Amino acid sequence: MTRTEIGASARRTRAITRRDIELFTEISGDRNPIHYDENVAKSSRFGGIVVQGGVTSGLLNALVAEQLPGPGSVFLEVSWRFRAPVRPGDVITAEATVTSARRDKPVTTLATRVTNQDGVIVLDGSAVV
């Protein structure tokens, strides 16, 4: 795991597809029709297909594991609010910024955020890794 300094940050971007929904459904068993049934999704409060939250937050998993703090890192605690839906076709960007780092062991606290292509915050919160 990489040592990090307060203020260090990283970003990671991904275009979300219907295939992402299919793969997450296959892995997780989340078959909520709001994720794949157009008619059900249109009649929901979201007005259309919504990508599973695990797909959205999964981009933060990749950022933590690959970039900040990097290989060897795992989530110890997360506190996230899902603030807006992500839809197939959206391009989302995960961002993390170090807000504190322990000196006695490799534990880092991150401010986390995911935005869509329009700059709308779809997820925000914090994570300890």
Side-chain angles (χ1 to χ4, degrees):
M1 184 161 77
T2 305
R3 286 272 179 202
T4 53
E5 299 296 323
I6 293 173
S9 64
R11 301 175 78 166
R12 190 175 191 99
T13 299
R14 178 178 173 81
I16 303 299
T17 67
R18 287 191 181 264
R19 182 73 178 132
D20 294 320
I21 293 171
E22 293 168 5
L23 290 170
F24 190 82
T25 297
E26 189 176 315
I27 291 166
S28 69
D30 179 353
R31 290 176 174 68
N32 185 337
I34 198 167
H35 302 308
Y36 61 85
D37 185 314
E38 292 282 350
N39 292 326
V40 170
K42 281 182 186 175
S43 66
S44 76
R45 64 183 265 193
F46 300 107
I49 297 290
V50 177
V51 174
Q52 295 101 326
V55 174
T56 302
S57 63
L59 195 55
L60 286 164
N61 290 56
L63 186 148
V64 164
E66 300 291 328
Q67 294 171 256
L68 183 72
S73 301
V74 295
F75 285 113
L76 301 175
E77 177 183 332
V78 296
S79 177
W80 290 328
R81 290 183 56 198
F82 293 87
R83 300 175 55 128
V86 173
R87 302 182 189 284
D90 281 355
V91 176
I92 60 173
T93 299
E95 302 173 68
T97 302
V98 176
T99 58
S100 70
R102 290 185 55 174
R103 299 219 182 269
D104 62 328
K105 58 174 73 175
V107 176
T108 304
T109 302
L110 305 170
T112 55
R113 174 181 288 177
V114 179
T115 56
N116 69 14
Q117 67 281 351
D118 299 320
V120 173
I121 299 169
V122 298
L123 176 155
D124 71 354
S126 62
V128 178
V129 298

